[in-house]
């Protein structure tokens, strides 16, 4: 007799979560998405995805059934601070009734590596996050790993590079003609197409090794300047003006400048080997062409 398929729970069922849910529904596997607002819940229901509303910014008052599920954790951390209380609240809600999933796949960030001065790095690179947003993600990773060891829950960490895809291109920024750092000063950045990330997340749930961490990128880093120029060329928009890094400190947002202070090139060999994957969009040009533009 075949083992029954474990239900899928997606905590933070937004852009990527909804695409993952649709893949499972195509196989008639039940999916429940946890979202923060009633409006988001209604959007999921309209797409045939069962939804529940919860706010991880405070301890969960409603009991959810996570037991024996395949749990994708895509919800973002708080917007400030260096710790992830959202993850703490989620995990605390599981403990009182031994309400544990079989496996958790968590989307983290490659920002946990900090600035690597443009070097090629793999998963053995020591973590040294500088930005608070990356420190929050590392805190979530550490909470999940400790939780998994204590309660015998399999944890898979995906350290994900910048996501692009349909509806996820910097069109608005290009139309506003906002500047970018000139090519010769721009740091290396890494990306992954949304559709590849969806397949990676599902394969990680199926085949990822428990306790492992995987870098998620297409393996072909470039600069953010090249990225913006490529999108501009494909959409027929004007390329953005280029400014020096020194001028960027005055003209660009603090958030954008925080990305400009870090440079690294990600190896994805472990990801492709362990998950037996072939990316649909291993290079930026082909990926942009398949963004519905």
């Amino acid at each position: 007799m075949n083992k029954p398929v474990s239900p899928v729970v997606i905590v933070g069922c937004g852009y990527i979560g909804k695409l993952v849910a649709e893949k499972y529904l195509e196989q008639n596997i039940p999916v429940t998405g946890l979202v923060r607002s009633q409006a988001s819940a209604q959007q999921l229901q309209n797409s045939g995805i069962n939804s529940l509303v919860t706010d991880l910014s405070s301890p969960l008052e409603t009991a959810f059934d996570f037991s024996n599920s395949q749990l994708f954790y895509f919800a973002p951390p708080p917007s400030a601070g260096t710790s992830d209380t959202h993850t703490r609240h989620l995990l605390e809600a599981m403990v009182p009734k031994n309400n544990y999933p079989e496996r958790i796949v968590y989307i983290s960030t490659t920002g946990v590596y900090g600035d690597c001065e443009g070097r090629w790095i793999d998963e053995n690179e020591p973590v040294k996050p500088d930005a608070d947003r990356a420190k929050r993600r590392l805190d979530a990773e550490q909470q999940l790993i400790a939780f998994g060891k204590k309660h015998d829950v399999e944890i898979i960490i995906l350290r994900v590079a910048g996501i692009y895809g349909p509806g996820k291109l910097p069109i608005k920024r290009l139309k506003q003609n906002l500047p970018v750092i000139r090519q010769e000063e721009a740091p290396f950045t890494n990306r992954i197409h949304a559709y590849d990330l969806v397949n990676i997340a599902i394969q990680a749930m199926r085949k990822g090794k428990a306790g492992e961490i995987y870098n998620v990128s297409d393996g072909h880093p470039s600069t953010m300047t090249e990225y913006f120029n490529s999108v501009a060329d494909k959409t027929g928009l004007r390329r953005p003006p280029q400014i020096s890094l020194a001028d960027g400190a005055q003209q660009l947002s603090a958030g954008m400048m925080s990305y400009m202070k870090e440079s690294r090139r990600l190896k994805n060999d472990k990801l492709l080997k362990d998950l037996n994957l072939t990316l649909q969009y291993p290079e930026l040009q082909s990926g942009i062409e398949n963004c519905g533009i």
Side-chain angles (χ1 to χ4, degrees):
M1 183 179 294
N2 293 331
K3 180 182 177 181
V5 177
S6 301
V8 173
V9 176
I10 303 175
V11 178
C13 196
Y15 178 73
I16 295 298
K18 187 170 179 288
L19 293 173
V20 169
E22 290 170 350
K23 289 285 188 180
Y24 277 104
L25 291 178
E26 288 173 2
Q27 303 171 59
N28 295 316
I29 297 174
V31 181
T32 299
L34 272 63
V35 289
R36 188 173 183 178
S37 70
Q38 191 60 51
S40 295
Q42 188 59 56
Q43 289 179 359
L44 293 184
Q45 296 283 8
N46 292 343
S47 297
I49 303 167
N50 185 42
S51 63
L52 295 170
V53 177
T54 188
D55 187 349
L56 296 177
S57 63
S58 58
L60 276 65
E61 297 179 357
T62 306
F64 296 105
D65 185 13
F66 298 110
S67 59
N68 302 315
S69 66
Q70 304 174 80
L71 193 153
F72 292 95
Y73 184 26
F74 297 160
S79 57
T82 57
S83 61
D84 187 350
T85 52
H86 292 180
T87 297
R88 184 173 302 113
H89 294 151
L90 175 67
L91 298 180
E92 286 175 348
M94 299 177 186
V95 174
K97 296 183 179 180
N98 295 325
N99 184 14
Y100 307 133
E102 292 179 355
R103 170 170 281 212
I104 299 175
V105 171
Y106 174 61
I107 283 187
S108 183
T109 175
T110 59
V112 298
Y113 295 117
D115 181 27
C116 299
E117 300 179 333
R119 288 184 292 106
W120 282 99
I121 64 168
D122 61 16
E123 291 83 355
N124 294 315
E125 180 74 18
V127 292
K128 51 180 188 303
D130 182 56
D132 283 354
R133 54 182 162 74
K135 292 177 181 178
R136 294 190 289 271
R137 291 290 189 177
L138 181 58
D139 180 61
E141 287 186 16
Q142 293 170 339
Q143 289 187 58
L144 286 160
I145 291 169
F147 179 86
K149 290 178 179 178
K150 184 175 181 179
H151 300 289
D152 195 27
V153 177
E154 296 181 348
I155 306 294
I156 307 292
I157 305 293
L158 303 179
R159 289 178 176 164
V160 179
I163 303 168
Y164 73 103
K168 283 284 185 180
L169 296 178
I171 303 298
K172 181 178 179 181
R173 183 181 178 85
L174 288 170
K175 288 182 176 179
Q176 292 174 334
N177 200 36
L178 297 175
V180 294
I181 301 302
R182 62 189 183 189
Q183 175 63 24
E184 55 267 33
E185 290 187 86
F188 282 107
T189 56
N190 305 267
R191 275 162 296 278
I192 188 72
H193 193 285
Y195 293 166
D196 278 324
L197 176 54
V198 167
N199 290 332
I200 288 165
I202 292 172
Q203 284 296 92
M205 183 63 78
R206 292 173 177 165
K207 298 183 177 181
K209 297 179 181 179
E212 290 294 338
I213 293 171
Y214 297 98
N215 288 340
V216 178
S217 77
D218 61 18
H220 289 85
S222 58
T223 68
M224 195 171 292
T225 303
E226 290 176 279
Y227 173 55
F228 282 119
N229 284 345
S230 295
V231 175
D233 293 347
K234 291 295 182 182
T235 56
L237 295 171
R238 181 169 50 179
R239 287 188 172 190
Q242 297 187 24
I243 59 175
S244 69
L245 193 59
D247 287 341
Q250 305 299 321
Q251 299 184 42
L252 299 177
S253 69
M256 177 63 78
M257 282 304 297
S258 73
Y259 289 104
M260 296 298 101
K261 295 176 181 177
E262 299 181 0
S263 182
R264 53 188 170 266
R265 288 180 283 180
L266 295 172
K267 296 180 181 178
N268 64 1
D269 307 64
K270 179 181 175 182
L271 174 84
L272 301 180
K273 180 181 178 181
D274 281 12
L275 303 188
N276 191 26
L277 278 167
T278 299
L279 298 180
Q280 288 181 269
Y281 307 111
E283 296 184 6
L284 183 60
Q285 297 303 320
S286 63
I288 293 176
E289 289 173 358
N290 288 275
C291 284
I293 54 176

